[in-house]
Structures are given as C-alpha cells and as structure tokens.
Amino acid sequence: MGIDPNYRTTRKVVTEIQGIKVYDPYEPPKKLGIWGTIVGVDFDLCIADGSCITACPVNVFQWYDTPGHPASEKKAMPINEQACIFCMACVNVCPVAAIDVKPP
C-alpha cells in the first residue's frame, strides 16, 4: 500500500516546513505525515533509497534529516515542487510507492 492519493482533500495541513505543506498525522519523530502538495512524499513510507532524487530531471528533491524515524533517518523532501514537469519519473522508481504527483 502506497501513499494515499486523496490526501490533499482527506487530510489536514498541520504545519509548513521550509515552505512545504505537511499533512497529518504529524507527531515527530515517529509520524511525519505527507509533505508537499504538487509533489507529495509520504515521509512515513519513504525509505530514503534516493531513486527519486536520481530520477528527477529538474531537481525537485533534496535530502531532509529525520532522526528517530523508524523507516529511515532522512527523507526525499520535495523542496522545489513548483519545478515539477510531471514526467512521473519519481513515482515510477519509488520502491515503496511513497510519491504522488498532481498538477496544481
């Protein structure tokens, strides 16, 4: 089971970090929710294998440290989600289906 494709309408924005909206549940360090609106990354599923960072032709992602999280201690943060060209490369390579991309 991957990221909830309906999170934008079914979950609440609980905070914003470095300009990125974070959707619930957000209870650091164990639950980090879904980060991003155009390019959403489920931080609770992300295992930080880096395939999305490598696959993205427009550098949407950067590493973000998440010490204490059970899945991994860093995540692929969609820091530059506005640059997304909707090629879906990140979605296609994510081994745990933690990414969802929707045009604004």
Side-chain angles (χ1 to χ4, degrees):
M1 183 169 143
I3 188 172
D4 172 6
N6 301 311
Y7 78 89
R8 295 164 186 88
T9 57
T10 60
R11 297 184 185 210
K12 293 180 183 176
V13 173
V14 292
T15 192
E16 197 168 298
I17 297 173
Q18 294 184 28
I20 302 298
K21 290 181 180 176
V22 178
Y23 295 80
D24 66 0
Y26 184 71
E27 300 165 15
K30 302 296 181 193
K31 292 193 182 283
L32 299 176
I34 299 175
W35 293 42
T37 303
I38 298 167
V39 179
V41 178
D42 189 326
F43 270 29
D44 295 320
L45 296 176
C46 179
I47 58 169
D49 83 326
S51 58
C52 59
I53 291 174
T54 303
C56 182
V58 293
N59 300 313
V60 165
F61 304 96
Q62 76 177 23
W63 288 121
Y64 183 81
D65 290 329
T66 56
H69 191 268
S72 65
E73 295 210 335
K74 64 181 179 177
K75 307 293 177 184
M77 181 182 193
I79 191 69
N80 194 21
E81 65 179 335
Q82 299 82 9
C84 182
I85 59 172
F86 311 103
C87 68
M88 308 305 275
C90 59
V91 172
N92 294 329
V93 299
C94 182
V96 292
I99 303 171
D100 187 64
V101 175
K102 294 255 188 316

